[in-house]
Amino acid sequence: MDRSIKAVQDLMKKHRTNNPFEIAAERNIIILFEELGKNIWGYFSCSNRIPIIHVNNRHNGFEQLFTIAHEIGHYVLHPKVNTPFLRKKTLFSVDRIEREANRFAVHLLIGEEKIEYGESLSVFLLRCGIPEEMHEFY
C-alpha cells in the first residue's frame, strides 16, 4: 500500500475524522491565515517545536482546506524535511515530496467515501469536492 494512503488511514483511525481543522487542533498545530500573495497556497513551519500551518487568506474555501490537508501531509510524512532549504540550497528535487503531500491531501479529503456502482472515477472525485487538476493524485 502507498505510504501516503496508509498514513491517511492511520490518521483517520486515530482522530476519528478526516477534517483537517479537527486533526490540526488535536495535534496542536496552529493554523494562521495570512497574506501570502497570488502564487503561494501555504507552507508549514515549526517554531520552538510549535507546528504552524500558514494559509493564504486570499484563497477560496477548498483551496484553504486542501492547503491545510497538504501541510498536514508534510507534517506526517516529512517531519524533518525543510523544503524551502532544499529548493534554495540543493539539487534535490522536491517534486516527490510535494506529490506525496498532494496524494495525502486528496485521500484525506475523500475520507471514507467510496465509488458508487456505475460511477466513473472522475465523477466520484468531483462528488467528493476534488477539482479536476487534483485528480492525478488519487
Side-chain angles (χ1 to χ4, degrees):
M1 176 182 291
D2 181 275
R3 177 173 107 101
S4 55
I5 295 170
K6 174 79 168 102
V8 166
Q9 289 174 342
D10 292 346
L11 196 68
M12 286 176 29
K13 184 177 179 182
K14 180 176 182 172
H15 295 283
R16 299 176 189 234
T17 185
N18 70 319
N19 183 310
F21 286 99
E22 291 178 26
I23 292 169
E26 289 183 22
R27 294 263 173 147
N28 295 314
I29 301 171
I30 295 171
I31 299 173
L32 298 177
F33 293 87
E34 304 172 320
E35 177 63 45
L36 298 177
K38 294 179 182 177
N39 299 321
I40 297 174
W41 285 44
Y43 64 96
F44 178 82
S45 69
C46 201
S47 178
N48 297 321
R49 291 188 243 185
I50 299 169
I52 305 167
I53 294 174
H54 305 262
V55 181
N56 193 326
N57 62 10
R58 289 184 174 188
H59 284 187
N60 68 39
F62 174 79
E63 292 168 338
Q64 291 180 346
L65 190 65
F66 187 86
T67 298
I68 295 166
H70 175 96
E71 299 306 334
I72 290 172
H74 283 307
Y75 174 78
V76 170
L77 299 169
H78 317 117
K80 301 204 185 309
V81 175
N82 181 338
T83 52
F85 175 81
L86 289 175
R87 282 189 182 103
K88 291 179 184 176
K89 305 291 183 188
T90 73
L91 298 176
F92 181 78
S93 171
V94 296
D95 288 347
R96 179 186 59 84
I97 292 167
E98 292 302 319
R99 291 182 66 75
E100 280 182 349
N102 282 343
R103 186 168 176 82
F104 178 97
V106 166
H107 282 270
L108 181 62
L109 295 174
I110 289 171
E112 303 271 328
E113 291 291 326
K114 302 287 184 219
I115 296 176
E116 295 177 1
Y117 180 76
E119 186 175 42
S120 72
L121 179 59
S122 179
V123 169
F124 164 68
L125 293 171
L126 290 170
R127 177 171 57 83
C128 293
I130 309 298
E132 287 186 30
E133 61 268 18
M134 298 297 173
H135 288 191
E136 69 180 283
F137 299 108
Y138 181 73

